Amino acid sequence: MNKEGILLSKARNRLFIVWIIGSIVPTVIIMIQTILGSKYEGIAQQVWGWFSPLIFPTITLMIGVIGASAFNRDNDTDKTVDPTFFNITIGLSVFYFLAIDTVILAEPFSDKGNPLSSFTTSNLFLTPVQALTTAALGFLFTSVKKSPREQQASDNT
Amino acid sequence: MVKRLRNTIAVIMGMLIACSSLQAQQLQNGSNNIMQTDIQLWKNGLENKSEFAYNASILQFPVGKISYDVWVNSVTKNILQESNRVKKALAFIIGEKKIYPSASITALIQLLGNEPDSIANIAIFSLVAYGAPAIEPLYNTIEANRKPYVSKWNDLLYEEAKKQDDFEPDFYYSQSAMRATYSLRLMGGDSVLYYYSHHPTLKRYYKCYILDGIAITEQNCKNYFRQVRLLKPLFTDYVEGYVDDNFMFSKLYENYTRERAMNILHLVSDTLLPLFNAYIHSSSRDTPAVVSAKEILKEVDHLYPDTTNWGWYSDPWCGISFFTKMNWLSVHKDSFVLYRDTIIAVLKAKTNVSDIYNRIFVKKLLVLIANIGDAAKSLYPFLLPYTLHTDKDIQYLACKAILGIYTQSNGGFVLYPPKLLLPQPPESYINDDNRLSLYLRLSDELHEGFPLELQRKWDIMTAQRGYGSGYPFGKIYLNAAHEIIQGNIRTINLADTMPLTLITRFASHPDTRIRVFIAYMMGLSDTLPQQALYVLHELMNDSIPLVRKTACLSVSKSMAIDVNIKRFVTVCLLENYFKERLSTEEQTLYDLDMPPFVRAKGGYIAVTPVINTIPSPSLQAVIVANPPATAVKLKDVYGKLKQHLLDDGISDVSTYAYADGFALFTRMERVQEDGSIDKKNRWNCGKLKPDNISEYFCQLFLGQKGSFRGVSLIVSGTRNLQFDNKLINDADYNYLFQKGGVMLPGEIADAPATGKIIHLLIYEFVKGADGTIEFTKSQNEQTIQSHFQSLHLTSFKLQ
């Protein structure tokens, strides 16, 4: 069965949108908590130190790749991605953000007095999920697959 | 004039005729009207839950004051709570349908089949009491396997009586009324008579047939017998005949050989008397003893069919006289000895009645023995091996039998259900060394040799006065708890010198074991906070799911700085379940050391530690008595301070000897920032979980801080206290509180309080965003005033 692929650029853009939207909720919550002051009084630096690596490196990568593609549009116009893999990546990303939101939103119910200890503990399950998600994203944002036209030219030579 | 007189007479006659017609019509429809009234009353009673409870209590437990009290106090509540299905079914059948279709009755029978006997009986009695014809198919169904002797009995008796030459109907009916009185007494005692005499419907029968024998008519008597016929089998299913009025036991010797007569006497005195007693005094109609009695009666009937006419069976008409004869047997010396010897012989299985008893399972025999009272004391050595029998049921019954042997009250009848006496299976106290268990033995006399570790005799009247409003029998609980603490024992025997009315209520309380353990907690500190009591109660409740118990244990962890709860956790740790649940770290964390006690003659005595330096507080003030007290001792001051703290809800106070006085430290508590009490979470120093959405968002964005305090009262002759320079932290304060004693040392207690100064020290702590609790020094002078007011030290004032 011949399965139609999704254009790589389109896939990257969709994933980028998912990540931007997904990161807004936890980032805004922690920003408000930090600005109000009393929640993370004395531990704000550690909290951001826990939160930043979860999201920003990946978004930075995405922006870099998408930005590069924006100035070299010819190369990527007809590259496609397997839709199944794309959907898996989307699913992993959504699950990853849900996990982060859960950790932050459920913290008031935690028995631990220090929020940072809850966050640190959550790394036990966030890290593997993050690894899976970034691995999937890595293929889409860093690997170079020849377009059909380049493949044909290569075959001719 | 004549015409007017004639008209007047005509009018009067007309009115009389009309009244007569109306009366006749009312009489004709009387039963229906009464029925409708009763239905309405009954339905109203169902709705407000009073009428039914009253009727049920009268009908179900009419045999004496003890049973009635037990019923009113305990069983009625259960009925009201648990038998809604039955009540609804009855209401449906009687009230809604107004007819009694067989389908409804069948449904009711099925429904009652799933209910406890007591509820089923109440349902049946209710139907009978209201004269519901529905009882006929119900009765027939229940009695399907029995001989319909009851329905034929009256007719046969009447026919036989009519054959006699001197038959006089009026005399016969008056005799029947007298017999009916007996039968009512036998069926239900005075309470049923009372019920009949006050019931809106039945009192007519009572007045006509019981009190006014002269007015008895044949038709009325038949109606009455219909009532009796329906009631009798429900109460007296062991009655299968009647005895000759001239029957005497002495005739046994005239008609039988001595050996045979002795055997019969044995059986009568050994079984029927205690069984009769058991039956009369039982709060349930199907106690093990009664069940055993039925089995024995069947066997007797099988082996001695010709003795049926000799009246083993009590007669509803002559029951009282029969009972008197049985009482005569019970006090007859020779019979008494035979009674005892027979049982011994039965146990040895070497007598000529063994063929009877061999047919009876040993379990039933033990149950029987458990109910024969004082006469079987000498059986104890024979029964003891049964407590180690391989069959656990036999073990259990043997223990119960021994308990019964030593129970003299209530005609030697052992309380039912047996779990009241043995909350745990016998093996728990025979072989289990690790389990903290409580065994209640109810007796009016103490005997040596019973396999219990401790026996105590307590004044039940003292206990009745109670310990606190919530524990009417708190003194017993508390005494039991102290015995556990001081003697390090696992088994307690409670001996009661009063009629079982009181002790039964105590022992039959479903929470008895739990309450003793809670009292065990209270034994060291008078009382525990309500939250702790609740949690402990949950923990000790067997029906609470393990998940819930785990949660409760977590809560108790947060309160584990309380020495008493630590001891409780120690108990929990002995249970395998908790042992698995608690990690080594947790077990170490709880510091399960005993509070400072030393072993002394007769048990343990408390030791009050000495504190030399007081940690520097956040706030300090001096308080004085208001009005000034004169000529008081330090123990008076100590007692007053503790009482005030207790009034304020602070029950856990740690005591130290300090210089020439003493120091008190209270458990750390959560307070508002201004020093007032946080009533909702006072004793929760951990993280508070949000209860509603607003609290959640507050905690999410603002975090949770907390203010805490520890209160210390120092009574000393020194005005300027010397404080330790080192700042105290929460762990230090908790350790200080934890390691204190529970009472004032004797030499300090009797010292005069004159010249002593009471220092109020407040240790304030604040919880930061990172969850750590840190000591803080308040600079606000107003705060000490707030703390003082929150402590409710009403007999004192700030200086």
Side-chain angles (χ1 to χ4, degrees):
Chain A
M1 191 175 71
N2 188 15
K3 225 174 171 181
E4 257 188 50
I6 299 173
L7 286 174
L8 179 60
S9 57
K10 201 173 181 179
R12 284 173 175 172
N13 289 339
R14 284 185 186 175
L15 277 168
F16 180 66
I17 291 169
V18 166
W19 270 74
I20 288 296
I21 293 173
S23 61
I24 283 174
V25 174
T27 308
V28 168
I29 289 175
I30 292 184
M31 278 173 61
I32 294 173
Q33 289 171 333
T34 309
I35 291 168
L36 292 177
S38 59
K39 175 78 176 180
Y40 300 133
E41 187 177 1
I43 56 172
Q45 194 170 352
Q46 292 97 312
V47 170
W48 279 100
W50 164 78
F51 178 66
S52 298
L54 295 178
I55 293 178
F56 296 114
T58 310
I59 291 184
T60 306
L61 169 71
M62 289 177 164
I63 291 175
V65 172
I66 292 172
S69 302
F71 293 99
N72 190 12
R73 298 185 63 183
D74 292 342
N75 288 344
D76 294 337
T77 48
D78 52 357
K79 286 182 182 174
T80 58
V81 179
D82 180 27
T84 305
F85 182 73
F86 171 72
N87 289 335
I88 288 173
T89 311
I90 288 282
L92 281 171
S93 300
V94 170
F95 178 74
Y96 180 56
F97 282 112
L98 284 177
I100 294 174
D101 292 341
T102 303
V103 170
I104 295 171
L105 294 174
E107 186 277 329
F109 296 104
S110 167
D111 282 331
K112 295 176 179 175
N114 189 349
L116 199 59
S117 59
S118 296
F119 296 156
T120 309
T121 306
S122 68
N123 282 340
L124 292 172
F125 55 87
L126 283 180
T127 303
V129 178
Q130 185 188 27
L132 292 173
T133 310
T134 51
L137 288 170
F139 281 109
L140 290 172
F141 280 87
T142 60
S143 62
V144 178
K145 184 185 174 186
K146 292 178 180 177
S147 67
R149 190 173 51 193
E150 290 171 335
Q151 185 67 39
Q152 190 177 4
S154 173
D155 291 343
N156 292 336
T157 55
Chain B
M1 184 67 185
V2 174
K3 188 178 181 182
R4 183 181 293 177
L5 184 62
R6 192 187 307 160
N7 289 340
T8 304
I9 292 171
V11 168
I12 292 172
M13 288 296 290
M15 289 175 66
L16 287 173
I17 292 169
C19 287
S20 301
S21 303
L22 185 62
Q23 194 173 10
Q25 189 177 359
Q26 284 178 344
L27 286 173
Q28 189 175 1
N29 300 326
S31 59
N32 289 336
N33 292 335
I34 289 168
M35 196 66 200
Q36 293 302 320
T37 306
D38 287 350
I39 287 170
Q40 193 56 45
L41 283 173
W42 202 79
K43 287 172 70 177
N44 293 339
L46 284 178
E47 287 173 6
N48 60 31
K49 295 184 176 180
S50 59
E51 169 100 355
F52 183 80
Y54 172 73
N55 291 344
S57 62
I58 292 289
L59 281 170
Q60 172 62 11
F61 283 92
V63 293
K65 191 172 183 304
I66 293 174
S67 298
Y68 181 76
D69 285 344
V70 171
W71 167 257
V72 170
N73 289 325
S74 59
V75 185
T76 304
K77 293 177 185 175
N78 295 333
I79 294 295
L80 289 175
Q81 291 169 359
E82 297 174 7
S83 65
N84 284 332
R85 291 191 305 139
V86 174
K87 287 189 288 187
K88 286 175 183 173
L90 291 171
F92 175 78
I93 293 170
I94 295 179
E96 300 298 331
K97 302 297 284 186
K98 297 186 176 65
I99 53 174
Y100 311 96
S102 58
S104 300
I105 298 302
T106 305
L108 178 62
I109 292 168
Q110 291 175 351
L111 192 62
L112 295 179
N114 295 324
E115 296 291 338
D117 287 347
S118 58
I119 297 176
N121 285 340
I122 288 169
I124 296 169
F125 296 159
S126 300
L127 287 170
V128 172
Y130 282 88
I135 196 61
E136 286 285 359
L138 182 64
Y139 162 74
N140 290 333
T141 305
I142 293 173
E143 300 293 311
N145 297 324
R146 302 182 185 180
K147 291 187 295 183
Y149 67 94
V150 177
S151 58
K152 294 179 180 176
W153 186 82
N154 287 326
D155 297 335
L156 291 174
L157 190 66
Y158 185 71
E159 293 299 324
E160 286 295 319
K162 280 203 296 186
K163 292 177 185 175
Q164 297 178 9
D165 296 336
D166 56 349
F167 174 71
E168 295 178 10
D170 289 343
F171 177 77
Y172 174 77
Y173 292 135
S174 64
Q175 288 294 307
S176 298
M178 185 181 69
R179 290 169 179 170
T181 307
Y182 288 152
S183 71
L184 280 175
R185 287 183 185 277
L186 190 67
M187 289 173 194
D190 292 337
S191 296
V192 162
L193 286 177
Y194 177 84
Y195 176 76
Y196 266 67
S197 63
H198 288 78
H199 191 277
T201 304
L202 299 180
K203 66 183 178 184
R204 295 192 314 144
Y205 294 97
Y206 180 83
K207 286 180 180 175
C208 289
Y209 312 140
I210 307 299
L211 297 180
D212 305 325
I214 299 173
I216 291 174
T217 65
E218 184 177 358
Q219 184 61 39
N220 288 340
C221 195
K222 283 186 178 178
N223 287 338
Y224 166 73
F225 276 127
R226 178 175 170 275
Q227 297 278 338
V228 172
R229 188 180 75 238
L230 297 174
L231 278 169
K232 189 169 70 171
L234 299 173
F235 283 98
T236 58
D237 53 359
Y238 64 99
V239 177
E240 295 182 0
Y242 74 101
V243 294
D244 185 355
D245 284 341
N246 296 321
F247 168 80
M248 293 292 290
F249 278 97
S250 57
K251 285 193 174 183
L252 285 170
Y253 294 96
E254 298 172 10
N255 295 283
Y256 286 89
T257 63
R258 177 173 173 76
E259 183 184 15
R260 189 67 175 275
M262 292 293 279
N263 282 342
I264 294 172
L265 268 179
H266 289 171
L267 290 172
V268 170
S269 59
D270 293 354
T271 59
L272 291 185
L273 172 62
L275 292 172
F276 194 88
N277 277 330
Y279 199 83
I280 290 296
H281 292 98
S282 170
S283 59
S284 168
R285 296 297 173 191
D286 283 310
T287 62
V290 175
V291 173
S292 296
K294 292 174 182 173
E295 296 288 334
I296 293 170
L297 286 174
K298 286 179 184 174
E299 298 298 334
V300 171
D301 195 25
H302 172 74
L303 287 178
Y304 300 97
D306 54 337
T307 59
T308 301
N309 292 331
W310 289 99
W312 316 92
Y313 311 124
S314 61
D315 172 32
W317 318 136
C318 306
I320 293 177
S321 60
F322 179 78
F323 186 51
T324 306
K325 292 167 188 171
M326 300 301 279
N327 273 336
W328 170 83
L329 267 182
S330 70
V331 297
H332 195 276
K333 185 181 176 183
D334 294 337
S335 300
F336 202 74
V337 173
L338 287 171
Y339 166 39
R340 182 196 61 194
D341 293 344
T342 303
I343 298 295
I344 295 174
V346 165
L347 285 171
K348 291 180 178 178
K350 290 180 180 176
T351 70
N352 54 2
V353 292
S354 60
D355 54 341
I356 296 175
Y357 288 102
N358 282 340
R359 291 167 176 262
I360 305 167
F361 296 112
V362 64
K363 294 178 188 176
K364 291 171 184 169
L365 179 62
L366 290 172
V367 170
L368 176 65
I369 293 170
N371 290 284
I372 59 178
D374 186 60
K377 276 181 188 173
S378 58
L379 300 178
Y380 170 68
F382 297 95
L383 289 170
L384 196 55
Y386 284 103
T387 61
L388 298 172
H389 197 277
T390 52
D391 186 340
K392 290 187 175 172
D393 287 342
I394 293 178
Q395 276 188 12
Y396 182 87
L397 290 168
C399 291
K400 186 173 179 292
I402 292 173
L403 291 171
I405 286 172
Y406 286 120
T407 303
Q408 297 178 29
S409 300
N410 203 10
F413 181 66
V414 175
L415 288 177
Y416 186 83
K419 65 181 178 182
L420 294 182
L421 296 173
L422 290 173
Q424 301 294 328
E427 63 268 24
S428 295
Y429 70 86
I430 293 175
N431 296 319
D432 190 349
D433 292 325
N434 296 323
R435 194 179 180 87
L436 185 60
S437 305
L438 173 72
Y439 297 96
L440 301 176
R441 200 189 105 205
L442 310 176
S443 62
D444 58 358
E445 190 177 344
L446 300 179
H447 300 272
E448 298 297 328
F450 192 81
L452 293 175
E453 296 181 358
L454 182 73
Q455 297 184 96
R456 286 288 183 270
K457 194 171 186 176
W458 287 315
D459 179 9
I460 192 73
M461 297 307 291
T462 305
Q464 193 185 13
R465 286 196 287 272
Y467 177 83
S469 57
Y471 296 94
F473 292 95
K475 190 72 176 178
I476 300 179
Y477 301 132
L478 202 58
N479 282 339
H482 277 297
E483 296 289 1
I484 294 174
I485 293 168
Q486 293 179 4
N488 192 27
I489 57 161
R490 291 179 294 279
T491 306
I492 284 185
N493 169 40
L494 298 181
D496 181 13
T497 58
M498 297 292 290
L500 291 178
T501 313
L502 295 174
I503 198 68
T504 302
R505 285 172 57 198
F506 163 70
S508 60
H509 195 286
D511 288 344
T512 291
R513 184 163 166 259
I514 297 167
R515 287 185 175 211
V516 169
F517 275 105
I518 290 176
Y520 164 61
M521 299 294 116
M522 295 193 298
L524 290 174
S525 62
D526 294 336
T527 184
L528 281 175
Q530 194 59 38
Q531 186 185 10
L533 281 175
Y534 175 75
V535 171
L536 293 172
H537 191 284
E538 291 271 282
L539 270 172
M540 292 309 302
N541 192 342
D542 293 336
S543 62
I544 298 296
L546 291 182
V547 176
R548 176 66 189 151
K549 285 198 172 188
T550 307
C552 289
L553 192 59
S554 300
V555 176
S556 64
K557 286 178 190 176
S558 68
M559 298 185 291
I561 53 175
D562 186 304
V563 290
N564 306 316
I565 296 180
K566 279 188 174 181
R567 276 184 56 80
F568 178 74
V569 174
T570 309
V571 174
C572 290
L573 286 172
L574 295 176
E575 302 282 348
N576 287 330
Y577 166 72
F578 291 109
K579 202 177 275 184
E580 291 169 3
R581 288 282 174 162
L582 288 183
S583 65
T584 308
E585 181 186 352
E586 284 174 322
Q587 293 182 32
T588 309
L589 184 66
Y590 290 137
D591 183 15
L592 299 173
D593 292 340
M594 284 279 288
F597 277 74
V598 295
R599 195 173 183 87
K601 187 178 181 182
Y604 291 86
I605 58 170
V607 172
T608 305
V610 178
I611 187 170
N612 296 318
T613 56
I614 306 292
S616 181
S618 308
L619 294 164
Q620 179 188 3
V622 172
I623 61 176
V624 292
N626 181 28
T630 56
V632 293
K633 294 182 177 178
L634 278 180
K635 66 181 178 185
D636 301 323
V637 179
Y638 178 79
K640 185 159 280 189
L641 287 173
K642 282 192 77 171
Q643 185 58 48
H644 280 314
L645 292 174
L646 191 62
D647 293 343
D648 188 37
I650 302 175
S651 57
D652 300 328
V653 178
S654 190
T655 305
Y656 287 87
Y658 174 71
D660 55 347
F662 60 88
L664 301 179
F665 290 88
T666 67
R667 192 149 70 93
M668 189 185 291
E669 59 187 305
R670 185 185 290 270
V671 293
Q672 309 284 0
E673 289 186 5
D674 61 353
S676 58
I677 295 171
D678 184 349
K679 291 181 180 174
K680 187 178 174 186
N681 302 296
R682 184 173 184 180
W683 302 111
N684 188 349
C685 295
K687 185 176 179 179
L688 301 179
K689 304 289 175 61
D691 283 341
N692 51 54
I693 192 72
S694 61
E695 278 187 20
Y696 169 75
F697 281 112
C698 275
Q699 290 197 22
L700 178 66
F701 290 109
L702 300 175
Q704 185 184 97
K705 289 188 176 179
S707 298
F708 307 91
R709 78 167 179 199
V711 178
S712 177
L713 290 160
I714 312 288
V715 178
S716 169
T718 311
R719 175 162 284 275
N720 297 317
L721 296 173
Q722 295 299 316
F723 295 118
D724 192 353
N725 290 328
K726 182 189 168 189
L727 288 180
I728 192 172
N729 58 30
D730 64 324
D732 294 336
Y733 184 84
N734 285 335
Y735 183 82
L736 197 62
F737 165 73
Q738 180 184 323
K739 292 298 179 185
V742 294
M743 62 182 67
L744 205 58
E747 64 275 17
I748 294 177
D750 293 329
T754 311
K756 297 291 190 294
I757 297 167
I758 307 173
H759 300 267
L760 172 63
L761 309 181
I762 304 293
Y763 296 88
E764 290 187 322
F765 301 89
V766 175
K767 183 185 278 187
D770 58 354
T772 56
I773 297 177
E774 294 176 349
F775 176 76
T776 178
K777 272 227 176 236
S778 174
Q779 301 299 323
N780 187 356
E781 286 301 321
Q782 190 63 31
T783 312
I784 187 73
Q785 184 75 32
S786 177
H787 280 297
F788 178 73
Q789 287 177 355
S790 71
L791 287 169
H792 295 99
L793 296 169
T794 51
S795 298
F796 302 90
K797 65 178 180 180
L798 281 176
Q799 196 175 41

